[in-house]
């Protein structure tokens, strides 16, 4: 099973963000964990990160042709990018929304996700382990 992991805006500076909210590791460290967990679950993962919303959407379109599962953490785009929502809505494969922090317990503006309704699962506030949970969710649904 091939899984694409799409990380969005500001996740490239994860190591500079509040460790109590975001887990205290760099994006490279996080991706290393994701690849290790994917191997353990017999998944093939492809991790990508961008600060460009257009590129993020292009990656969604590209993955339509090959991904059997999708994990997304669009960062702040979660709260307002209907373009990303529309791109994810095209997937026949399951999409899992992951956030390192629990966005439902943060500032009011962060509590709304435009992705609700197009994702099969949401994993919130579990730090880096949220990605492991998302991979496990997809592995359980492999065809």
């Amino acid at each position: 099973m091939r899984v694409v992991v799409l990380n969005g805006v500001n996740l490239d500076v994860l190591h500079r963000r509040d460790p109590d909210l975001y887990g205290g590791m760099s994006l490279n460290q996080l991706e290393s964990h994701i690849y290790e967990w994917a191997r353990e679950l017999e998944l093939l993962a492809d991790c990508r990160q961008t600060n460009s919303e257009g590129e993020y959407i292009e990656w969604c379109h590209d993955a339509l042709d090959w991904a059997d599962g999708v994990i997304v953490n669009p960062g702040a785009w979660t709260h307002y990018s209907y373009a990303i929502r529309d791109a994810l809505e095209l997937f026949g494969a399951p999409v899992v929304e992951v956030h390192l922090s629990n966005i439902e317990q943060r500032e009011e503006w962060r509590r709304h996700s435009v992705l609700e309704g197009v994702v099969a699962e949401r994993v919130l506030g579990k730090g880096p382990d949220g990605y492991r949970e998302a991979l496990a969710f997809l592995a359980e649904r492999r065809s």
Side-chain angles (χ1 to χ4, degrees):
M1 179 177 200
R2 296 165 300 177
V3 176
V4 65
V5 180
L6 300 176
N7 284 304
V9 65
N10 293 319
L11 284 156
D12 59 321
V13 290
L14 188 57
H15 62 287
R16 294 175 181 236
R17 300 189 77 186
D18 183 344
D20 291 333
L21 290 174
Y22 299 104
M25 66 174 55
S26 70
L27 179 63
N28 286 339
Q29 291 169 318
L30 175 61
E31 289 179 346
S32 292
H33 286 293
I34 291 168
Y35 287 125
E36 179 183 330
W37 295 327
R39 278 191 302 276
E40 290 171 4
L41 294 165
E42 299 178 358
L43 303 173
L44 295 172
D46 178 15
C47 294
R48 301 177 185 187
Q49 186 281 328
T50 184
N51 291 317
S52 167
E53 186 177 11
E55 185 171 39
Y56 197 93
I57 292 165
E58 289 294 332
W59 287 344
C60 291
H61 294 170
D62 173 66
L64 287 168
D65 295 327
W66 62 267
D68 303 307
V70 183
I71 297 172
V72 296
N73 180 348
W77 295 323
T78 300
H79 314 295
Y80 65 87
S81 179
Y82 287 95
I84 289 174
R85 178 195 166 93
D86 287 350
L88 294 174
E89 195 170 34
L90 299 171
F91 278 97
V95 178
V96 181
E97 177 185 358
V98 173
H99 295 283
L100 296 163
S101 67
N102 187 341
I103 62 173
E104 292 181 347
Q105 295 178 351
R106 295 196 54 199
E107 303 92 338
E108 188 65 37
W109 65 270
R110 289 188 199 268
R111 295 179 188 173
H112 173 71
S113 170
V114 300
L115 306 181
E116 283 190 78
V118 299
V119 296
E121 182 75 4
R122 298 178 76 215
V123 182
L124 310 176
K126 297 190 176 179
D129 287 335
Y131 287 86
R132 181 181 200 138
E133 187 174 317
L135 289 164
F137 176 87
L138 293 174
E140 290 171 7
R141 281 145 189 81
R142 77 179 90 215
S143 44

